[in-house]
Amino acid sequence: MPSSTQSETMNFLNQIATSYPAAISLAAGRPSEHLFDNLDHASLLSAIRTYEAHYGARGSLLQYGPTAGLVRDLIADQLRIDQGVPATAERTIVTTGCQEGLALCLSVLCPDPTDVLLVRNPTYVGATGAANLFKVLVVALDGSSGADLPTQIQQAIVRERKNGRTVRAVYLIPDFDNPTGEVIGLSDRKKVIDICAYNQVVILEDNPYGLFRYEGIDVPSMAALDVSGCVIHLATYSKTIAPALRTGALALPESLFGDRLALRTCLNRIVERKSFLTVNTSQLTQAIVGGLLLEQDGSLRSWIEPSRRTYQENLSAMTAALRDTFGESRTHVSWNNPAGGFFLTLNLPFDFTAADVDVCATRYKVIAMPMSFFAMDNSQDNRARLSFSAASSRQIQTAVENFGRYVDSRTTSHLAGHG
Amino acid sequence: MPSSTQSETMNFLNQIATSYPAAISLAAGRPSEHLFDNLDHASLLSAIRTYEAHYGARGSLLQYGPTAGLVRDLIADQLRIDQGVPATAERTIVTTGCQEGLALCLSVLCPDPTDVLLVRNPTYVGATGAANLFKVLVVALDGSSGADLPTQIQQAIVRERKNGRTVRAVYLIPDFDNPTGEVIGLSDRKKVIDICAYNQVVILEDNPYGLFRYEGIDVPSMAALDVSGCVIHLATYSKTIAPALRTGALALPESLFGDRLALRTCLNRIVERKSFLTVNTSQLTQAIVGGLLLEQDGSLRSWIEPSRRTYQENLSAMTAALRDTFGESRTHVSWNNPAGGFFLTLNLPFDFTAADVDVCATRYKVIAMPMSFFAMDNSQDNRARLSFSAASSRQIQTAVENFGRYVDSRTTSHLAGHG
């Protein structure tokens, strides 16, 4: 993916809501503001006080702090309790949001021009953007053959090796993928781990949505399944506490492919590089995370329950509205049924581009995200990502109805053009 | 400078205080904790409330926010008022500490392998470390010839051009340099700007200590003197409000070497890359900075006055103790007399290495920073950087006396070795 497209996507995501104030946005994957209902000024302060009461002797929170973080122990606890990640304080690095953790991993794991990061197609633009920043070669997995994910990864590793390149890492969001909403099943997770362990490829398991499941039962995180030392787990508190805390974490495995010294070297390199990017993550925001984790006895599951229910209702509203609007299938519109997360994928009978977004937002008052913004080729041109996290159920219903009228206008004019 | 040395330095700075709890540290350049005297929980909250009262309609502070920042207008005002920087909101980018701003600038300004960053020797390790992170070639100015700074820069530009490389940027801390404490005079500032403007070299003016002057009168910032569009001003609130806010800023000039479109492109690239590093700077910490700036009517000069006086007294205590301890000059120890900032340079009659730090800290209970940690060659091996920002006057006096005994032990054994 060319850098301009990544930037375009990121700018689009950042600016979209303000660009069309009259339209309902199903574009950005920001959390619902209901997430902040229990996070007023008093509770922010209470979290800091709880943290200070627990760790009073650690010195002023307002100072510089250790590069690897202040609340590594509390974060490791939460990742163990909530996600089954075998995290320990010593192998946890607190980062300035998950994005910094991702950028640091790519910089450390892929130092050479022949090192390759594998990504799915489509994939989260923050991964390809961070790779681009450090001039890391990105190769998209080939899903067009119909091969399953483990086979795609195996094939890519072999293909790159033939081309004189080395796959060093694969970026995955196994739970409720951004942008597709899909989940990697247990059997595929195990196969991917086996393939990556054998080929010494690090799995970067990005997990922003793992706690937001609306039906079915949890699949163990890849870090929980990893016994070979090939999974780095990327955590964020942007979706579970607040994006403004800019606090995330990396949980590293006990060894790197069985080599404990290699793991230690990798960890030290990440920490060193962090010191040249952001020095350390804000101790103030870390203390808020830490205090809240203390107050919640180490688990965020009940803390996020109101927002989880909101998203669940929003998703129901979206699929109901999609059925009502496109149920006759006269327009050949289809969609997936994600079991969690923030996103749903819509398949359209026409290409949906950035220019189309403008028409759709201006005339039909709804903002949808072209899936092509997350794609490495043109295979996603006729798809859209619909986010159901930030808008209300009622807004979602209206937005889908509006989008239905937009689709009608496209298919009618399409037919007219060929009639 | 090899990467391992940078990491060593950064680790040293981060770990030193905890490594020798019984020793007085003159190593790290962290602000005095007195800086936080007026920043208790209530005043942090008050700052957020002040911000919200002023900009109530901007939405929840707890959400994601614009990549370029929330309080660009307030920061631009402060930089204009306090430093004469011709900043505007549109040309100001809020960064996750000054370090992120520096890293972003290097990444954008020096994309090609033949692009060069010029630095002084010795220089701040965060600059060479960030350059290393993005594989930017760092070239040290040659101060050994006795040429003045403008001539050194001119010579380096020509020399690099002959070598097929292009100097894109020069990193300077014109006010109370880290590590040396030196100030670049007005005439040299003007000459450097002329040379850089003519050769299209960007001056990265890092200014953490500009407000901490203890004698004499302010020299205008290089950004204030720049009419050619060649100075990017790097600002931080770590020394003026609190490091834990991790909030700094870049103030870009009106044009890049007279080209407004080139400036716009540069700014957009910085913002794009920031979105792939840290997404946006915490809106919570930005609101604290913004609220405090509102409460202080746009200037931090009175806010920092108590810490400025503390540092002034500390510097007096340090130079007095140095005179008392080394005044007879029997040991050939000399030092500079910085007019501001956090650091003083000590010239020693022997090499002072990392191994020596350990002996000095363990046996003489004082931690000094080898200047070689900031050097690009061995020209600084017999110097030390003494910080007078964080310790108390009394501690500084004791520390210098202790260091005197350490010097005695070194020179006596040195003499003994040759006797």
Side-chain angles (χ1 to χ4, degrees), chain B residues 148-187:
Chain B
D148 62 10
L149 182 68
T151 308
Q152 289 175 39
I153 291 173
Q154 175 67 52
Q155 287 171 345
I157 292 170
V158 172
R159 196 172 56 236
E160 291 307 307
R161 202 175 285 148
K162 277 187 193 152
N163 293 334
R165 298 190 285 255
T166 311
V167 174
R168 296 291 181 194
V170 54
Y171 174 77
L172 298 172
I173 306 177
D175 286 299
F176 321 118
D177 192 20
N178 179 6
T180 65
E182 300 294 338
V183 172
I184 303 173
L186 180 61
S187 153

Side-chain angles (χ1 to χ4, degrees), chain A residues 155-230:
Chain A
Q155 287 171 345
I157 291 169
V158 173
R159 196 173 55 234
E160 291 307 307
R161 201 175 285 146
K162 278 187 193 151
N163 292 334
R165 299 191 285 253
T166 312
V167 174
R168 297 289 181 194
V170 55
Y171 173 78
L172 298 172
I173 308 177
D175 287 300
F176 322 116
D177 192 19
N178 179 5
T180 65
E182 300 295 337
V183 172
I184 302 174
L186 180 61
S187 155
D188 276 359
R189 291 185 192 211
K190 287 178 177 169
K191 285 183 200 158
V192 169
I193 288 172
D194 286 346
I195 291 165
C196 287
Y198 181 80
N199 290 283
Q200 303 218 337
V201 171
V202 171
I203 298 166
L204 298 171
E205 179 183 43
D206 195 0
N207 188 22
Y209 313 109
L211 294 181
F212 298 97
R213 175 176 278 277
Y214 316 126
E215 59 179 81
I217 54 163
D218 286 345
V219 185
S221 65
M222 295 188 78
L225 297 169
D226 174 34
V227 289
S228 317
C230 68

Side-chain angles (χ1 to χ4, degrees), chain B residues 2-143:
Chain B
S3 166
S4 62
T5 309
Q6 288 156 8
S7 314
E8 215 178 282
T9 305
M10 221 57 175
N11 281 337
F12 182 88
L13 284 165
N14 289 332
Q15 307 296 340
I16 194 74
T18 46
S19 302
Y20 306 100
I24 300 167
S25 175
L26 303 179
R30 47 179 55 195
S32 163
E33 308 240 329
H34 288 303
L35 177 60
F36 316 134
D37 283 351
N38 293 319
L39 209 58
D40 60 4
H41 293 162
S43 50
L44 287 173
L45 213 55
S46 154
I48 293 176
R49 288 201 171 114
T50 302
Y51 177 82
E52 288 180 329
H54 201 79
Y55 294 103
R58 285 194 184 180
S60 172
L61 284 177
L62 295 169
Q63 266 293 7
Y64 290 105
T67 305
L70 192 69
V71 296
R72 302 163 83 183
D73 49 348
L74 298 171
I75 288 179
D77 285 349
Q78 188 256 326
L79 295 178
R80 271 201 315 279
I81 293 169
D82 280 342
Q83 306 282 349
V85 176
T88 65
E90 299 70 37
R91 290 186 275 104
T92 298
I93 302 169
V94 187
T95 55
T96 304
C98 180
Q99 185 66 33
E100 187 198 28
L102 179 53
L104 287 168
C105 283
L106 295 179
S107 162
V108 168
L109 296 173
C110 304
D112 295 325
T114 53
D115 293 338
V116 167
L117 169 73
L118 291 182
V119 299
R120 305 182 85 172
N121 181 23
T123 192
Y124 171 54
V125 70
T128 47
N132 196 265
L133 198 58
F134 290 102
K135 297 173 183 164
V136 172
L137 199 60
V138 176
V139 170
L141 294 168
D142 182 11

Side-chain angles (χ1 to χ4, degrees), chain A residues 244-288:
Chain A
L245 298 178
R246 306 310 310 125
T247 301
L250 297 171
L252 277 68
E254 202 172 340
S255 75
L256 207 56
F257 313 115
D259 185 339
R260 280 165 188 260
L261 186 63
L263 189 276
R264 179 58 43 191
T265 304
C266 175
L267 188 146
N268 288 343
R269 281 195 186 138
I270 292 172
V271 173
E272 286 160 18
R273 284 173 196 225
K274 177 172 166 60
S275 76
F276 297 125
L277 272 191
T278 58
V279 185
N280 62 256
T281 302
S282 167
Q283 298 210 122
L284 212 52
T285 63
Q286 283 191 74
I288 293 172

